[in-house]
Amino acid sequence: MSSEILLNAENINQNAWGAINGCEAASMLAGLHYQHHALDINYGQFLLEMPISPDANPYRGFGGSPFKNQKGKFEAIFVRPLILWASRYGHLQDLSGANPEWLYEAVKAGNPVLTFVTVHFADPEWEQYPFGKVPVNNHAVLLDGLKADQVHVSDPIDGKYWLSKDQFERIYNLRRMAITILK
């Protein structure tokens, strides 16, 4: 691919809002805003509407609190409950299991993609929980750009930046969890 695509989605800094664990909601709302959905909702309001899992299982809702770490809880929300919640604001498509090229095709079509990765794209730090083995350095970013050998992300912790496709794919491919935010 010789041309550059940059959707230039908004960047929501989760730490500026005191939401140390709020990356999924920040990335989702940035994608919704990019598609002109939920424009009357700010990040703080959005976080307060996020479904909380009573048993701290991120496959059922957010596991804990986006505002603090709680011993024994995995503070995250995974694809299914995130889609069930956020689809009231816009059209979403589960791309979990998709090969990275599918994500790139979505971006080329003008649709940013929320992807589950790790903080700073570091090697995963796996731990076992009652619901399964997950990286405790779990993170979600919004994929919103492409060029030859790089991708662009809007990262709720580190801001907007380009990184190598190799680095992105190495971490994304560990779990292959993604959601496209459609027009």
Side-chain angles (χ1 to χ4, degrees), residues 92-108:
L92 308 173
Q93 181 180 17
D94 185 348
L95 280 186
S96 294
N99 122 6
E101 285 302 319
W102 292 15
L103 310 184
Y104 304 155
E105 288 302 318
V107 172
K108 288 177 193 174

Side-chain angles (χ1 to χ4, degrees), residues 129-150:
Y129 284 81
F131 55 82
K133 190 175 178 182
V134 291
V136 292
N137 56 341
N138 174 69
H139 193 41
V141 300
L142 192 66
L143 179 67
D144 74 337
L146 304 166
K147 59 184 174 183
D149 58 351
Q150 293 185 310

